[in-house]
């Protein structure tokens, strides 16, 4: 239940809500209950106008579950719970600049993340989100039935490893964990652990192939699914403002950090919430 002073607006027909008038520093149990299902149902909820210290950000995150410490991103030295998603004036490559869902390379992938805008470029730097419920719903009954029987392989080795995608870029030095190896096999279609809805659970960044298929065999079907997933009316744009916070569910959505603000700094603080094995 929400007070009359709280306003809620959809960001797109299938994905995302924007909320104004909530104070996450002192959120009540009934508001948390509303927020938990709003995030699971809509993939992402943006709450505007928050003024949270790092301690308050951490305290809010703990209300969602255990914190999942990211092994690859730079961390805030004072607050190891907080990963730094940041780009400097002189850097060209950003973190998260391709469609993905966080930590799908883990056997128990993170439930979601709570991203807080600390420093924004004068314009640009939006984050796009896409609903994986809508992606599933858009498929034919025949393809849904086939995908229900399939699993897919996820890893981050080709992203964060010594020869990975970031190794060749101007932000190579910010990452940690080059020796970590990740490998997980998840169903291609999952039943969301709390909403009970079916969702597509493959993504262009971390899914390498279908289990039992070669990569060459997998790519055409994966690419078909990816194109469906980001069909135009299935994507919403979150335009950040100072004090905006986004809470997203990695099982219900993908996201993409736009990299259109070269020459400006952007600093986001991310806390990731632990999840569970998916089925
Ligand atoms: C992330 C991420 C998006 C952004 O923090 O996981 O992908 O817009 N960030 O910074
Ligand atoms: Mn991400």
């Amino acid at each position: 239940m929400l007070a009359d002073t709280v306003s809620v607006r959809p960001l797109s027909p299938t994905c995302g809500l924007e909320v104004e008038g909530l104070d996450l520093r002192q959120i009540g149990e009934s508001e948390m209950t509303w927020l938990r299902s709003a995030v699971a149902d809509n993939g992402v909820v943006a709450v505007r106008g928050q003024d949270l210290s790092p301690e308050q950000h951490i305290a809010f995150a703990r209300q969602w579950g255990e914190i999942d410490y990211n092994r690859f991103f730079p961390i805030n030295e004072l607050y190891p719970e907080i990963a730094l998603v940041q780009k400097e004036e002189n850097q060209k490559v950003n973190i998260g600049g391709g469609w993905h869902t966080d930590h799908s390379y883990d056997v128990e992938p993170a439930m979601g993340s709570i991203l807080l805008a600390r420093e924004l470029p004068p314009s640009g730097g939006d984050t796009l989100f896409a609903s994986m419920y809508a992606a599933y719903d858009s498929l034919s009954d025949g393809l849904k039935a086939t995908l229900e029987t399939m699993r897919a392989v996820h890893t981050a080795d080709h992203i964060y490893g010594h020869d990975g995608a970031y190794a060749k870029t101007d932000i190579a030095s910010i990452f940690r964990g080059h020796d970590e190896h990740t490998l997980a096999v998840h169903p291609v279609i999952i039943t969301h652990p709390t909403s009970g809805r079916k969702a597509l659970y493959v993504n262009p960044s971390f899914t390498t192939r279908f289990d039992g298929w070669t990569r060459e065999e997998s790519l055409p079907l994966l690419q078909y699914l990816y194109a469906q997933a980001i069909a135009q009316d299935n994507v919403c744009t979150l335009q950040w403002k100072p004090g905006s916070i986004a809470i997203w569910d990695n099982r219900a959505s993908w996201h993409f950090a736009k990299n259109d603000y070269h020459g400006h700094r952007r600093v986001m603080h991310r806390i990731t919430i632990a999840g569970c094995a998916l089925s």
Side-chain angles (χ1 to χ4, degrees):
M1 268 293 290
L2 294 177
D4 295 348
T5 47
V6 179
S7 71
V8 179
R9 185 179 77 87
L11 290 174
S12 81
T14 63
C15 190
L17 288 184
E18 178 183 39
V19 177
E20 273 179 272
L22 266 187
D23 182 351
L24 301 181
R25 292 174 302 189
Q26 44 195 25
I27 185 160
E29 204 35 60
S30 63
E31 289 165 325
M32 266 311 284
T33 303
W34 179 86
L35 208 45
R36 280 200 188 92
S37 47
V39 170
D41 291 342
N42 297 281
V44 58
V45 173
V47 186
R48 301 296 190 182
Q50 302 305 300
D51 180 19
L52 301 188
S53 65
E55 289 85 356
Q56 288 165 335
H57 187 190
I58 294 167
F60 174 65
R62 288 202 197 282
Q63 297 190 52
W64 290 80
E66 295 281 306
I67 291 175
D68 179 331
Y69 292 77
N70 183 287
R71 289 162 282 167
F72 304 107
F73 288 6
I75 49 166
N76 186 319
E77 299 262 301
L78 295 175
Y79 305 96
E81 296 88 347
I82 299 176
L84 300 175
V85 178
Q86 85 186 51
K87 181 174 175 241
E88 304 297 339
E89 288 93 331
N90 60 353
Q91 289 174 336
K92 284 285 180 290
V93 173
N94 68 341
I95 293 181
W99 282 108
H100 67 283
T101 186
D102 298 332
H103 298 201
S104 75
Y105 46 77
D106 282 335
V107 174
E108 294 189 356
M111 168 263 144
S113 286
I114 302 180
L115 191 69
L116 173 59
R118 290 279 176 209
E119 205 174 318
L120 294 170
S123 65
D126 299 347
T127 308
L128 310 180
F129 291 86
S131 164
M132 291 304 111
Y133 300 131
Y136 170 79
D137 292 344
S138 74
L139 305 175
S140 68
D141 290 344
L143 184 50
K144 283 177 183 157
T146 300
L147 295 174
E148 288 271 5
T149 66
M150 294 169 59
R151 295 159 69 80
V153 177
H154 301 242
T155 174
D157 292 3
H158 61 292
I159 307 283
Y160 303 115
H162 287 287
D163 300 323
Y166 284 120
K168 303 168 188 94
T169 71
D170 66 346
I171 57 167
S173 64
I174 70 173
F175 290 102
R176 303 173 293 129
H178 306 289
D179 293 319
E180 294 259 353
H181 287 290
T182 50
L183 188 68
V185 181
H186 304 294
V188 173
I189 305 298
I190 57 166
T191 301
H192 189 281
T194 59
S195 75
R197 288 180 65 185
K198 292 202 173 171
L200 180 69
Y201 195 74
V202 286
N203 71 84
S205 297
F206 301 122
T207 307
T208 49
R209 60 185 176 83
F210 295 114
D211 191 27
W213 296 33
T214 66
R215 179 156 171 82
E216 290 65 32
E217 289 166 341
S218 305
L219 274 179
L221 180 51
L222 284 172
Q223 270 153 6
Y224 176 79
L225 297 172
Y226 298 157
Q228 291 300 113
I230 55 165
Q232 206 164 22
D233 58 4
N234 188 31
V235 172
C236 74
T237 301
L238 170 56
Q239 279 187 301
W240 295 91
K241 299 177 200 166
S244 297
I245 204 165
I247 308 149
W248 66 76
D249 185 314
N250 285 317
R251 294 81 53 98
S253 60
W254 288 353
H255 55 280
F256 179 112
K258 287 184 82 172
N259 187 9
D260 54 357
Y261 53 94
H262 294 320
H264 298 283
R265 192 162 193 251
R266 179 177 185 269
V267 180
M268 314 294 277
H269 280 185
R270 183 179 115 180
I271 304 182
T272 303
I273 312 299
C276 57
L278 300 170
S279 55

